[in-house]
């Protein structure tokens, strides 16, 4: 007696791969569980920080430090740190550095990338190789400090902007996008008498809104979150951005006094610390919903050509 095994039906040549097939019931449940766990891991700390910043002194004392669900929320910590003093000044410094730095970085990176994307520009390949070299090999902390000192930028806000004004990665991304714009558009504009400035402003920038928004977001996040350059180049604590204040008074657990905040009565230190954390998180967090539609398109720019 012989056993016959069922023959497997060969898959068609144009069939989708197995991993692209719709998941079954078990797969859908597993995905839902994984997504729920990841969301809980991400949301729970944020919710704890927000709740503690809104909690009263009694709730914080009863909970032992952190509050998950405040029963009597209050904005006293936020009104305290935003009523003047070191935190308010640090927020204004961070906003100014982020706005000015992002504007200058976008302008210089766009102009640089457009010049390197043009064919026939003398020395373009050599300059591009130097840019790629800086992407692979950083100059180091001591040479950067010596350069900033010799330029007279110590204890200046420009020390937070100029050393990192152009990112090699963002430059390469923009250049790749500009090179993928059809050459016929450039030729048609040249025939109509348009120069490089008009081509850049009327053709290139309108076609690259997505990648420009993403690069701008990268720059804004970098400037807003930067704290090491401020610690290295700024000796005056009155010029510190919010991230340095956050590190000093939250991470290092240094106490904010009533004199530093310009007040007579102080809310709980735990509420103030968590309110400072929220101030450091929320501004950049609010930008992502507006730029989300550009994000996927922008980060994949230059990856597929054709």
């Amino acid at each position: 007696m012989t056993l016959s095994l069922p023959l497997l039906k060969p898959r068609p040549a144009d069939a989708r791969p197995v991993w692209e097939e719709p998941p079954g019931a078990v797969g859908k449940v597993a995905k839902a569980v994984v997504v729920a766990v990841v969301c809980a891991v991400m949301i729970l700390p944020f919710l704890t920080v927000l709740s503690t910043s809104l909690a009263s002194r009694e709730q914080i004392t009863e909970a032992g430090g952190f509050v998950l669900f405040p029963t009597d929320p209050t904005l006293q910590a936020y009104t305290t740190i935003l009523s003047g003093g070191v935190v308010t000044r640090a927020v204004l410094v961070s906003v100014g550095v982020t706005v000015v730095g992002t504007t200058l970085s976008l302008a210089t990176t766009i102009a640089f990338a457009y010049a390197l994307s043009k064919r026939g520009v003398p020395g373009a390949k050599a300059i591009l190789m130097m840019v790629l070299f800086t992407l692979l090999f950083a100059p180091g902390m001591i040479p950067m400090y010596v350069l900033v000192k010799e330029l007279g930028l110590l204890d200046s806000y420009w020390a937070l902007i100029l050393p990192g004004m152009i990112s090699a990665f963002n430059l390469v991304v923009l250049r790749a996008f500009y090179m993928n714009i059809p050459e016929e558009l450039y030729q048609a504009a040249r025939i109509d008498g348009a120069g490089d400035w008009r081509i850049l402003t009327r053709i290139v920038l309108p076609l690259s809104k997505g990648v420009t928004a993403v690069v701008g977001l990268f720059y804004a996040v970098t400037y807003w979150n930067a704290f090491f350059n401020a610690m290295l180049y700024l000796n005056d604590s009155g010029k510190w951005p919010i991230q340095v204040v956050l590190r000093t008074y939250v991470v290092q657990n240094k106490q904010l006094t009533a004199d530093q905040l310009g007040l007579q009565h102080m809310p709980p230190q735990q509420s103030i610390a968590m309110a400072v954390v929220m101030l450091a998180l929320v501004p950049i967090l609010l930008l992502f919903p507006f730029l989300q539609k550009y994000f996927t398109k922008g980060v994949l720019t230059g990856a597929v050509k054709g």
Side-chain angles (χ1 to χ4, degrees):
M1 182 177 180
T2 59
L3 297 176
S4 59
L5 297 176
L7 297 178
L8 296 177
K9 186 177 180 180
R11 292 174 58 85
D14 57 346
R16 293 186 300 180
V18 177
W19 55 84
E20 292 185 1
E21 294 292 339
V26 177
K28 291 180 179 179
V29 172
K31 286 185 177 182
V33 171
V34 171
V35 170
V37 171
V38 171
C39 290
V41 170
M42 299 296 293
I43 294 176
L44 189 60
F46 180 83
L47 182 60
T48 302
V49 172
L50 177 61
S51 301
T52 305
S53 68
L54 299 175
S56 62
R57 185 184 301 274
E58 293 76 13
Q59 287 182 289
I60 294 177
T61 304
E62 182 180 354
F66 290 99
V67 178
L68 186 57
F69 298 106
T71 56
D72 189 17
T74 176
L75 295 175
Q76 185 180 7
Y78 292 96
T79 56
T80 298
I81 63 177
L82 294 178
S83 61
V86 61
V87 178
T88 304
R89 185 169 57 248
V91 171
L92 295 178
V93 170
S94 291
V95 171
V97 169
T98 301
V99 172
V100 175
T102 302
T103 303
L104 292 178
S105 294
L106 272 180
T108 53
T109 306
I110 288 172
F112 199 2
Y114 175 74
L116 292 180
S117 67
K118 302 299 294 179
R119 296 178 176 86
V121 177
K125 290 186 178 180
I127 295 175
L128 181 60
M129 291 302 297
M130 288 190 291
V131 171
L132 294 177
F133 183 84
T134 62
L135 183 63
L136 298 175
F137 301 97
M141 180 178 66
I142 295 178
M144 285 297 298
Y145 182 86
V146 173
L147 177 62
V148 171
K149 181 180 179 181
E150 292 299 321
L151 293 176
L153 299 178
L154 285 181
D155 217 22
S156 170
Y157 292 129
W158 290 111
L160 308 180
I161 298 175
L162 296 180
M165 191 166 65
I166 296 181
S167 167
F169 173 79
N170 294 334
L171 177 65
V172 171
V173 170
L174 283 177
R175 176 181 176 271
F177 185 89
Y178 295 161
M179 292 186 67
N180 287 334
I181 296 178
E183 186 66 25
E184 291 77 10
L185 292 177
Y186 295 115
Q187 296 176 357
R190 295 288 185 187
I191 294 174
D192 292 338
D196 285 325
W197 175 253
R198 190 173 182 182
I199 292 175
L200 177 61
T201 56
R202 298 294 182 87
I203 296 177
V204 175
L205 290 182
L207 291 176
S208 57
K209 291 181 180 179
V211 65
T212 303
V214 172
V215 170
L217 177 63
F218 287 164
Y219 276 127
V221 171
T222 300
Y223 282 117
W224 182 266
N225 289 335
F227 71 94
F228 186 73
N229 285 351
M231 295 176 55
L232 192 62
Y233 303 136
L234 298 182
N235 299 320
D236 185 3
S237 60
K239 297 181 179 180
W240 282 355
I242 186 62
Q243 301 298 338
V244 180
V245 173
L246 175 66
R247 180 182 183 274
T248 303
Y249 295 104
V250 178
V251 177
Q252 294 182 345
N253 202 25
K254 187 177 180 180
Q255 300 293 317
L256 279 167
T257 63
D259 293 336
Q260 290 174 318
L261 296 175
L263 299 172
Q264 295 181 351
H265 303 286
M266 286 284 292
Q269 286 290 336
Q270 192 74 1
S271 295
I272 291 180
M274 296 302 102
V276 175
V277 173
M278 291 301 300
L279 282 181
L281 286 174
V282 168
I284 293 298
L285 192 63
L286 293 178
L287 289 178
F288 278 92
F290 299 101
L291 299 177
Q292 185 178 6
K293 61 180 180 180
Y294 300 115
F295 190 80
T296 303
K297 179 181 178 181
V299 296
L300 294 179
T301 295
V304 180
K305 182 177 180 181

